[in-house]
Amino acid sequence: MKHSRRCILILLALQLCATAACGEQASVETETTTTAEDTTVPELSDNLPDVDMDGFELRISNAEETWLSWAEIQIVADEENGDLLNDAIYHRNTKIEERFNCKLVETEQERVTPDVMGRDVMAGDASHDVWLVYDIDVVNMAAAGYLMPFENLSYVNLDEPWWNPMATEVFNIAGKQYAAAGNFNLSTLSRAAGFIFNKEIYDQIGAEESIYDLVSEGKWTIDKMYDISKLAYSDLNGNALIDAGDRFGINGSWKELYNRLILGSGVSYITKDEDGIPQFSLPDDTLAIDKILRIYDLFTDQQVTNSKISSNVDADGAGGDFQKGEVLFSVSQLFGLERARTYEIDIGFIPTPKWDEEQEHYYAPSFGATVAVLEQTLALDRLDNVGIILEALSFDSQYNVLPEYKEVALKTKSARDDESAAMIDIIIDSISFEFGLNAWQDVVANPFIRGSFAAGNNNIASTLASMETTVNAEIEKLRENILD
């Protein structure tokens, strides 16, 4: 699992910086051994063995685009079609197929639930080598005994950036890795959270600082976002009421808005104990509760969000039509930014704010995406080939597919200024998962948002207390199933 690649990382830093692909928060080491006489940088290598797989077919189960329409999920490209992302995927796959004498075979289907996976496992066979499943289904699949841990794949190194370790770690339960977010699947990256904003409104409201400078200097915080959002309010219809037709600070659904503000502030709904088992520590975390209370006080301000009381966490929790110039900030993701390229208004894109300037980095919560899992009944004699191909796909994606996704699909077509393009790098470097949202959205995140923000209830401690019995029962069930 953990073959050393320190020398590769050194070389990667040199190449990435030379091509302007280094984000502000890039973590690649920057040592160099080149001299004035020798400036040649050797070709990048994934250090995988060049084996002949004799026509081995890697069988991938992927979601149908007609179902999972809110993320970038393309894995296979049948041919070049002029779309740079599609063509990058085509070249990646062709190169790997030729290198290892293998074939990528994709089957598309709607959401693969634990029941679907269970039927395959109970049949004693594995119809696919890799399943790309909805993030909230992973834990139930693991608890049911349907998943094989990634530790069984000798050639996969989940510590490397092309596996998004900050995201992947959430699905490590009791020391076993049940899912991974490799960059061969852009789904996770495409769902990384941020905010689009109306640049014309921002220029009109008299904000004193460049919003991009705030982000770059680490000063883009919860309080800053509130102050600027408050400035954006305007009684456009002139009726002296806060109602439809006015201009507001932020819009978005309850789930999208408040989960990203909370998790972007470094709060965790669920942590893990010494055995690596989830625990509901939030009810006793006074600092986290204080942060949530502050977020509640600021972002239920009617001029900021025009909150509509509703128990539906997917409902629009803040009024104003972004495209009509009725709101300054709107929740979005990288995939949403792609779609915003058709907007007539001038837009920018920024990360989710930090709690304060002391917070080490931004968080870009990603949820509602697919992640890779392995079936428990996957034949042992297939594991080496599966591991080699997955590592090669993710490695190549990091340096050939991801740049196309960032530089072309996002920056050129969507982000309309150089500063927004830099923001995309920060967001991708900050991508994160959280167990209570990604794994237990219906057990933790949604009930919490529903019982507090969506209900107009600022008694956060009471809401958390009302959830404890249910959440702890789920934890105990998971402990019994995983450890037994």
Side-chain angles (χ1 to χ4, degrees), residues 206-367:
E208 296 180 355
E209 300 170 276
S210 160
I211 197 166
Y212 295 128
D213 288 346
L214 289 173
V215 174
S216 298
E217 295 168 6
K219 298 177 180 179
W220 178 234
T221 65
I222 287 290
D223 284 342
K224 280 289 186 183
M225 187 175 200
Y226 169 78
D227 291 341
I228 293 170
S229 298
K230 186 76 170 178
L231 287 174
Y233 176 75
S234 178
D235 182 18
L236 294 181
N237 58 22
N239 64 1
L241 299 174
I242 301 175
D243 60 4
D246 290 350
R247 187 179 70 198
F248 299 94
I250 309 173
N251 75 355
S253 72
W254 299 110
K255 179 170 67 178
E256 290 279 351
L257 176 57
Y258 293 114
N259 275 314
R260 73 186 59 200
L261 292 177
I262 292 169
L263 302 181
S265 296
V267 172
S268 294
Y269 295 132
I270 297 288
T271 56
K272 293 178 182 175
D273 64 17
E274 63 277 5
D275 297 321
I277 296 292
Q279 58 181 355
F280 193 35
S281 54
L282 183 56
D284 298 319
D285 189 339
T286 56
L287 176 58
I289 292 175
D290 286 345
K291 288 182 178 181
I292 294 171
L293 282 169
R294 177 68 173 167
I295 291 169
Y296 184 98
D297 289 343
L298 295 180
F299 294 95
T300 56
D301 183 318
Q302 295 291 295
Q303 294 183 350
V304 171
T305 61
N306 189 29
S307 301
K308 302 173 182 177
I309 304 303
S310 166
S311 61
N312 181 2
V313 294
D314 290 310
D316 185 9
D321 188 319
F322 183 79
Q323 293 193 61
K324 292 180 179 179
E326 296 176 351
V327 65
L328 173 58
F329 297 110
S330 183
V331 297
S332 191
Q333 319 83 24
L334 295 183
F335 190 73
L337 183 61
E338 288 185 73
R339 295 185 170 184
R341 71 181 63 158
T342 61
Y343 292 1
E344 296 296 328
I345 57 177
D346 195 9
I347 63 171
F349 192 53
I350 51 174
T352 297
K354 300 192 297 182
W355 170 250
D356 59 22
E357 294 182 31
E358 300 303 314
Q359 185 172 308
E360 185 175 352
H361 54 74
Y362 295 99
Y363 289 95
S366 172
F367 59 98

Side-chain angles (χ1 to χ4, degrees), residues 2 11 163 175 428 433-434 438:
K2 297 185 177 179
L11 300 174
W163 287 99
I428 286 179
F433 283 0
E434 200 283 328
N438 292 92

Side-chain angles (χ1 to χ4, degrees), residues 25 30 60 75 84 127 158 238 277 289 407 432 447 464 470 476:
Q25 298 180 341
T30 57
I60 303 170
I75 299 293
L84 294 181
S127 59
L158 298 181
I277 296 292
I289 292 175
E407 302 293 336
S432 62
L464 292 172
T470 299
E476 188 57 33

